[in-house]
Amino acid sequence: MSGLTRAAKAARAAEAEAAARALRAKAKAKAKAQARAAEAEANAADARARRAAEDARAAWDLWARADARAKLLAAVRE
């Protein structure tokens, strides 16, 4: 009977180890998915920041041209 008890204990231990492996695999997959989602969000934020910087540069250039024209007009009128 002790052999049967040892076998049952070994079977329970193997089941517990298999369950633990499954939980670790699930946690690892979830962590990888979260990391991919975070990377995608960071890339999107970077793209938005780049577009905002380009828009700011374009606005600055537009203002600089308008300012130069205004100064030129003022000089011509004097």
Side-chain angles (χ1 to χ4, degrees):
M1 185 126 166
S2 66
L4 183 59
T5 303
R6 274 187 249 146
K9 285 182 181 177
R12 281 195 301 270
E15 286 174 7
E17 179 59 33
R21 273 195 303 274
L23 283 175
R24 284 193 297 270
K26 184 177 178 180
K28 185 177 180 180
K30 184 177 179 180
K32 281 185 176 183
Q34 288 173 336
R36 282 191 299 271
E39 184 177 10
E41 179 57 34
N43 289 340
D46 184 53
R48 287 191 300 271
R50 287 178 192 267
R51 282 192 299 274
E54 289 169 4
D55 290 347
R57 279 192 295 274
W60 178 261
D61 290 344
L62 183 63
W63 174 85
R65 285 194 303 267
D67 185 56
R69 286 183 189 133
K71 287 178 182 174
L72 181 61
L73 262 174
V76 168
R77 288 184 181 166
E78 287 179 358

